[in-house]
Amino acid sequence: MKIFQLCKKKRYKSLLPLLLFLIFILVISLTIYSGQKESLAQEKAAEALLHLSNADCIKCHSTVATTVDSKGAKHKTAVNCMDCHKGHPPMVPKDKIIPACSECHSGTPHYELAGCNSCHSDPHAPLEMKLASNITGPCLTCHPAQGKEMKEYPSRHTNVACTVCHSAHKDIPPCMNCHRPHTPEMVNKDCLTCHPAHQPLTITYGQDMPSKYCAPCHQDISDMLKSAQTKHTALECVFCHKERHKVIPACETCHGSPHPPAMLAQFKECNACHINAHSLGK
Ligand code: HEC
Ligand code: HEC
Ligand code: HEC
Ligand code: HEC
Ligand code: HEC
Ligand code: HEC
Ligand code: HEC
Ligand code: HEC
Ligand code: HEC
Ligand code: HEC
Ligand code: HEC
Ligand code: HEC
């Protein structure tokens, strides 16, 4: 108060602006000082986060760390947290620390697919996948052969999506999940012997295929062969109908020319006398 009273006195009046100026400087200095203190604290925090190691992440993100540890696959062994997350909030904004898959995966048709996370839903467990039941195209980025096979040998399997059968990667379904066997004694291995999964109408078999597996669809012939009791009766169906379904052999392939040429010249068909292969007229 005394100062202002002094200032009011005429002879000190010229000192008032100087005094106000000094007070202003003091306030500014105090403000700058406290500001510096704050940014120093921030710098310290930033410094600390910059020096985070992978071992630190686990302290605050234990759920993620547990996932990586148990299911990380090569995202556990070939890379670490900080290879993917460069920086940390708040110094680096959240959207900048989430890596794009393409940063590390590029250059094959598979890596050109859209929506990596529609299958690889958790980057911390990259091989844990729930595959939708309508996927075909993306599988062909790695399995072009199967796609080609299905197209070249059209069957009703061609229109069945890969993941209808392979509902998880590498899972192989038994045929009998979706079909009934032709006879009760057939096992899954038998199905695959006759029907390749991706071209099921290309039906082939070996010499060990028992006649009882042909019988359910050719009951009349099976019965005829049995009841005729000729030397053909002892033969398996596949002994004559070799390797591929619907193959019909000529009698001559096994018998050559069993009769005098004059006789065979008159009767061009063996079955003119022998009636048919399965009964031989008996
Ligand atoms: C001291 C605890 C702490 C440590 C140590 C820590 N974080 Fe974080 N992290 C957090 C917090 C808290 C958030 C949320 C920040 C926010 O929401 O702004 C976060 C956010 C994140 C995010 C973004 C999450 C989102 O919601 O998008 C990622 C990624 C991340 N941290 C990765 C890491 C990695 C990698 C490490 C190890 C290098 C690590 N953190 C170490 C506490 C920590
Ligand atoms: C191969 C790259 C990769 C590695 C390695 C990786 N992350 Fe991530 N992380 C990602 C991606 C991508 C996302 C975004 C996921 C999303 O958007 O669903 C993410 C998300 C996160 C998040 C936020 C979302 C959440 O799931 O909580 C945290 C926290 C995180 N990661 C921490 C870590 C930690 C800790 C490690 C190491 C133990 C780690 N990450 C290793 C790629 C990776
Ligand atoms: C920082 C680099 C990096 C990023 C980002 C990254 N990956 Fe990877 N990823 C790798 C490496 C390295 C491997 C091992 C590669 C190898 O062995 O050929 C790998 C392997 C994989 C594997 C195979 C895992 C295994 O064990 O066989 C899958 C699946 C995968 N990554 C998916 C993704 C997806 C999806 C994303 C995006 C969310 C992604 N990655 C982001 C580096 C990365
Ligand atoms: C339609 C599902 C699907 C989509 C979409 C998808 N993947 Fe895959 N990915 C798979 C399957 C299935 C595998 C084989 C996994 C295995 O071997 O167990 C695989 C394997 C991988 C592998 C490991 C094998 C390799 O060739 O290196 C990587 C890496 C990978 N994917 C990255 C990606 C990236 C990056 C994207 C997006 C551009 C992506 N995937 C999109 C299904 C998908
Ligand atoms: C990124 C490449 C990749 C993608 C994408 C991929 N696979 Fe595979 N797949 C593989 C590899 C590698 C193997 C192992 C091959 C081997 O063992 O010879 C495999 C094996 C398989 C097997 C088992 C083969 C066996 O011999 O038992 C099946 C079935 C299969 N894949 C189906 C699929 C289906 C269905 C899709 C689409 C959802 C798919 N794959 C997508 C790479 C891939
Ligand atoms: C009707 C069911 C079915 C469909 C549809 C199907 N598969 Fe298969 N796939 C199988 C069966 C069964 C096997 C096992 C074959 C064997 O053991 O001989 C198999 C085997 C495989 C194999 C192992 C190698 C091979 O050729 O035997 C691969 C890879 C494969 N499938 C990929 C695919 C792809 C890719 C698609 C889609 C284009 C597809 N599959 C569609 C049933 C199916
Ligand atoms: C996930 C179900 C599924 C599995 C597993 C499956 N199929 Fe099929 N199969 C189908 C469907 C669907 C059709 C079409 C039926 C229709 O249109 O009525 C079909 C049709 C067929 C046909 C008739 C093809 C045609 O064009 O007339 C044969 C033969 C066949 N399957 C054999 C097999 C064999 C052998 C296996 C095992 C290797 C198998 N299937 C496994 C679903 C399956
Ligand atoms: C001895 C060979 C053989 C064996 C073993 C075999 N099939 Fe067949 N299958 C055939 C023949 C031949 C057809 C008829 C093809 C045609 O119509 O041209 C057929 C037709 C089919 C069809 C088409 C629909 C129908 O019933 O006519 C399905 C589905 C089928 N088989 C599934 C199976 C399954 C599942 C198994 C295993 C339990 C199996 N097959 C074992 C030879 C075989
Ligand atoms: C699932 C039923 C089924 C099975 C199993 C089956 N076939 Fe057939 N087979 C058929 C059908 C359907 C035809 C066509 C009939 C027609 O065209 O009138 C046929 C036709 C044939 C034909 C005659 C082709 C022609 O040109 O007239 C021969 C030969 C044949 N089968 C032999 C066999 C043999 C050998 C086996 C056992 C290895 C067998 N089949 C198993 C259903 C079957
Ligand atoms: C000794 C050889 C031989 C044996 C064994 C044999 N077949 Fe044949 N099959 C033939 C010949 C040859 C034909 C041509 C038509 C004919 O000459 O009667 C034929 C014709 C057929 C045909 C089509 C024409 C028709 O008659 O309907 C079918 C289907 C057939 N065989 C099924 C079978 C089955 C199933 C078996 C086993 C139960 C069998 N075959 C055993 C030689 C044989
Ligand atoms: C795949 C070989 C094969 C074919 C094809 C074949 N057969 Fe035979 N056939 C045999 C065998 C093996 C015997 C028994 C020979 C023996 O035991 O001496 C036989 C025996 C016979 C016999 C003697 C029957 C008996 O009970 O004494 C006659 C007749 C005969 N075949 C006629 C035919 C005629 C006709 C055809 C054509 C329609 C035909 N075969 C097709 C292999 C075949
Ligand atoms: C004109 C009638 C006739 C014709 C055509 C004919 N066969 Fe014969 N075949 C016979 C008679 C009859 C026998 C003796 C009958 C018996 O022993 O049951 C016989 C016997 C056979 C035998 C048994 C021979 C043995 O030593 O046991 C075979 C194999 C045979 N025929 C195959 C054929 C073949 C293959 C053709 C066509 C190239 C053919 N036959 C045409 C009338 C005929």
Side-chain angles (χ1 to χ4, degrees), residues 72-75 78-79 83-84 99-101 103-105 116 120 123 126-127:
K74 288 193 179 142
H75 279 180
V79 283
D83 290 329
C84 285
C101 310
E103 283 174 26
C104 303
H105 299 293
C116 312
H120 305 284
L127 293 178

Side-chain angles (χ1 to χ4, degrees), residues 214 218 221-222 232 235-237 240-241 248-249 271 276-278:
C214 311
H218 299 290
I221 288 175
S222 170
H232 280 180
L235 305 176
E236 297 289 329
C237 310
C240 292
H241 301 286
I248 303 261
N271 283 351
N276 93 32
H278 308 115

Side-chain angles (χ1 to χ4, degrees), residues 129-150:
M129 281 178 274
K130 267 216 156 64
L131 297 172
S133 63
N134 60 353
I135 302 172
T136 295
C139 310
L140 305 184
T141 58
C142 295
H143 299 293
Q146 282 74 17
K148 197 159 161 268
E149 187 182 4
M150 298 276 247

Side-chain angles (χ1 to χ4, degrees), residues 4-279:
F4 286 100
Q5 275 162 11
L6 273 177
C7 291
K8 270 184 202 152
K9 292 190 179 162
K10 215 173 176 185
R11 91 183 133 107
Y12 296 111
K13 235 179 190 164
S14 59
L15 284 179
L16 186 63
L18 180 69
L19 191 72
L20 287 174
F21 179 71
L22 283 173
I23 292 170
F24 175 74
I25 292 291
L26 189 74
V27 169
I28 290 288
S29 308
L30 279 172
T31 313
I32 288 175
Y33 175 71
S34 67
Q36 266 176 352
K37 230 170 122 181
E38 211 170 89
S39 77
L40 211 73
Q42 261 182 18
E43 251 169 46
K44 256 191 177 165
E47 185 77 358
L49 280 167
L50 278 177
H51 291 125
L52 277 178
S53 69
N54 290 294
D56 292 320
C57 315
I58 190 174
K59 293 174 192 156
C60 302
H61 299 293
S62 61
T63 323
V64 173
T66 308
T67 307
V68 172
D69 202 44
S70 57
K71 300 170 185 160
K74 288 193 179 142
H75 279 180
K76 175 189 177 186
T77 53
V79 283
N80 61 42
C81 313
M82 296 172 80
D83 290 329
C84 285
H85 301 295
K86 299 191 177 75
H88 198 278
M91 287 77 59
V92 185
K94 272 192 195 177
D95 58 322
K96 291 268 158 44
I97 63 167
I98 300 298
C101 310
S102 59
E103 283 174 26
C104 303
H105 299 293
S106 63
T108 73
H110 186 66
Y111 305 144
E112 303 301 320
L113 292 172
C116 312
N117 65 355
S118 68
C119 295
H120 305 284
S121 52
D122 186 351
H124 305 127
L127 293 178
E128 296 285 303
M129 281 178 274
K130 267 216 156 64
L131 297 172
S133 63
N134 60 353
I135 302 172
T136 295
C139 310
L140 305 184
T141 58
C142 295
H143 299 293
Q146 282 74 17
K148 197 159 161 268
E149 187 182 4
M150 298 276 247
K151 218 168 148 195
E152 273 174 16
Y153 299 92
S155 76
R156 281 184 280 175
H157 277 184
T158 308
N159 304 324
V160 179
C162 308
T163 50
V164 166
C165 287
H166 303 290
S167 52
H169 191 234
K170 297 190 188 177
D171 263 18
I172 304 279
C175 308
M176 282 183 268
N177 275 8
C178 304
H179 298 294
R180 292 156 64 98
H182 305 305
T183 72
E185 64 259 70
M186 277 185 184
V187 296
N188 201 66
K189 191 166 71 63
D190 297 325
C191 315
L192 285 162
T193 306
C194 283
H195 301 280
H198 303 137
Q199 40 172 312
L201 295 181
T202 308
I203 298 162
T204 59
Y205 40 73
Q207 279 298 294
D208 56 347
M209 186 56 67
S211 297
K212 64 178 178 201
Y213 284 0
C214 311
C217 301
H218 299 290
Q219 200 59 54
D220 49 345
I221 288 175
S222 170
D223 292 347
M224 188 192 286
L225 194 65
K226 269 190 202 134
S227 63
Q229 287 302 323
T230 68
K231 285 184 178 160
H232 280 180
T233 305
L235 305 176
E236 297 289 329
C237 310
V238 298
F239 179 79
C240 292
H241 301 286
K242 286 192 200 320
E243 289 171 19
R244 183 174 283 264
H245 189 229
K246 297 190 182 174
V247 158
I248 303 261
C251 314
E252 290 89 339
T253 50
C254 299
H255 294 296
S257 279
H259 299 300
M263 177 183 158
L264 292 175
Q266 205 179 341
F267 301 92
K268 296 222 155 33
E269 300 286 325
C270 310
N271 283 351
C273 298
H274 292 290
I275 314 298
N276 93 32
H278 308 115
S279 73

